[in-house]
């Protein structure tokens, strides 16, 4: 019987399909790596960590400010004004003045006097309680707050519902805003958080300057309407204040800020 010669099997190389898959994987990894590098670069451009302030600060804004109340206790306003970290300074302050129909913040008079003496542009705000009489709340603010040219506009801090529907909150807020505008001759600012504005205020208040609280966003608050001030963090550190403090930015340059001040 004749014997057959055994043929040597040829080693098969990588198939075309597998080469294609491998090429695609390499491309995906390359693109993903470039995306991560770009994302990191963008992140670094949007915020910067300042150990002295204890927080990340958005870098797209030139005017930074704080807001305070009795919770910050006694404040050394000269130290606040003098703090300068890589050209980041405190350029303005809002101070809690009143709450409800009769209450005045325990530190308001001291803060109001000393902040102004330090040369910081200052503004006062009223903590609104929707279940209370808005006329009496406006009278409480007006009785305790005297504004002059160079001050910031008055602020209505509305962030509680008191278990009332949006229609009632809107109606009572409008009373306070109208009375305060009539007295000072300047349109008040509304302070609230982004969700509260959408749920309980909305388009009926779009004509008012908005100071919106939306923490830990990197570039800007997530809200559809225009805004003037953004409270971006509640855990900042400032020389002269022995407590955490809210940080804010003004949405504009120095010319826009001067135009925002009371004339």
């Amino acid at each position: 019987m004749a014997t057959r010669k055994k043929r040597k099997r040829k080693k098969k190389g990588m198939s075309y399909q597998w080469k294609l898959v491998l090429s695609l994987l390499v491309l995906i990894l390359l693109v993903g790596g470039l995306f991560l590098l770009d994302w990191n670069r963008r992140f670094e451009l949007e915020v910067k960590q300042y150990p002295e302030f204890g927080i990340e600060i958005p870098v797209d804004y030139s005017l930074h400010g704080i807001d305070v109340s009795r919770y910050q206790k006694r404040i050394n306003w000269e130290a606040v004004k003098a703090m300068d970290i890589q050209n980041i300074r405190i350029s303005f302050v809002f101070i809690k003045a009143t709450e409800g129909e009769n209450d005045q913040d325990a530190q308001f008079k001291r803060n109001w006097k000393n902040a102004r003496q330090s040369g910081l542009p200052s503004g006062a705000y009223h903590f609104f309680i929707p279940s209370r009489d808005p006329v009496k709340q406006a009278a409480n603010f007006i009785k305790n707050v005297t504004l002059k040219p160079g001050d910031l506009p008055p602020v209505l801090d509305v962030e509680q519902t008191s278990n009332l529907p949006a229609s009632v909150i809107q109606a009572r807020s409008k009373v306070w805003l109208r009375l305060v505008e009539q007295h000072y001759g300047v349109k008040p600012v509304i302070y609230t958080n982004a969700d509260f504005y959408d749920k309980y205020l909305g388009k009926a208040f779009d004509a008012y300057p908005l100071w919106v609280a939306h923490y830990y966003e990197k570039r800007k608050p997530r809200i559809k309407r225009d805004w003037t001030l953004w409270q971006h963090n509640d855990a900042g550190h400032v020389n002269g204040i022995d407590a955490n403090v809210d940080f804010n930015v003004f949405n504009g340059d120095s010319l826009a800020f001067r135009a925002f001040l009371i004339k």
Side-chain angles (χ1 to χ4, degrees):
M1 185 177 225
T3 57
R4 296 180 180 178
K5 291 183 178 180
K6 291 183 179 180
R7 294 181 179 178
K8 293 182 179 180
R9 291 185 178 179
K10 293 182 179 180
K11 293 182 180 180
K12 292 184 177 180
M14 186 180 292
S15 69
Y16 171 77
Q17 289 83 357
W18 279 110
K19 286 182 178 179
L20 182 60
V21 169
L22 183 60
S23 299
L24 287 173
L25 286 173
V26 171
L27 181 61
I28 289 170
L29 289 172
L30 179 61
V31 172
L34 291 173
F35 173 81
L36 286 174
L37 287 172
D38 184 62
W39 186 87
N40 284 331
R41 186 182 64 82
R42 287 175 179 270
F43 179 84
E44 290 171 358
L45 289 175
E46 290 172 1
V47 297
K48 185 174 180 180
Q49 181 74 36
Y50 292 87
E52 296 87 350
F53 291 119
I55 58 173
E56 294 170 344
I57 294 181
V59 300
D60 289 338
Y61 307 92
S62 58
L63 292 165
H64 303 265
I66 58 174
D67 58 275
V68 300
S69 67
R70 63 185 175 88
Y71 295 108
Q72 279 72 39
K73 304 173 185 177
R74 286 179 175 263
I75 296 173
N76 181 339
W77 286 102
E78 293 299 332
V80 173
K81 178 72 182 302
M83 191 173 185
D84 183 345
I85 307 299
Q86 299 178 42
N87 292 322
I88 300 292
R89 304 178 182 87
I90 304 304
S91 299
F92 61 89
V93 58
F94 283 100
I95 301 168
K96 183 179 180 181
T98 51
E99 178 175 336
E101 297 176 356
N102 300 300
D103 293 339
Q104 182 191 82
D105 187 88
Q107 294 291 333
F108 173 65
K109 287 183 178 178
R110 180 180 290 106
N111 283 333
W112 193 238
K113 176 184 176 182
N114 294 340
R116 280 169 147 188
Q117 285 182 348
S118 75
L120 279 173
S122 304
Y125 72 89
H126 174 82
F127 188 87
F128 191 69
I129 302 177
S131 60
R132 304 290 175 82
D133 185 345
V135 175
K136 291 181 180 178
Q137 293 194 68
N140 183 23
F141 184 83
I142 290 168
K143 178 180 68 175
N144 287 287
V145 178
T146 301
L147 296 176
K148 65 181 182 181
D151 288 335
L152 292 155
V155 177
L156 178 66
D157 176 347
V158 52
E159 54 184 290
Q160 290 187 349
T161 66
S162 299
N163 294 318
L164 295 171
S167 59
V168 175
I169 295 170
Q170 291 175 12
R172 294 182 180 180
S173 297
K174 285 180 179 179
V175 171
W176 191 97
L177 292 164
R178 175 175 53 81
L179 292 173
V180 168
E181 183 173 359
Q182 287 175 352
H183 179 79
Y184 295 106
V186 61
K187 192 173 285 294
V189 175
I190 294 174
Y191 167 90
T192 193
N193 63 70
D195 289 339
F196 192 98
Y197 191 89
D198 290 339
K199 290 180 181 178
Y200 296 100
L201 299 177
K203 293 187 178 299
F205 294 83
D206 281 355
Y208 292 92
L210 178 64
W211 175 13
V212 59
H214 199 181
Y215 298 159
Y216 313 125
E217 292 295 313
K218 301 303 178 187
R219 175 165 289 179
K220 61 182 180 179
R222 283 181 290 159
I223 192 165
K224 294 178 181 178
R225 62 152 289 181
D226 294 336
W227 53 274
T228 303
L229 297 145
W230 171 27
Q231 187 183 83
H232 60 84
N233 204 301
D234 61 349
H237 301 157
V238 178
N239 292 348
I241 301 179
D242 189 20
N244 287 349
V245 64
D246 300 331
F247 264 63
N248 307 274
V249 293
F250 176 77
N251 191 19
D253 59 16
S254 58
L255 288 176
F257 184 74
R258 285 198 289 272
F260 181 58
L261 300 175
I262 293 175
K263 304 299 182 290

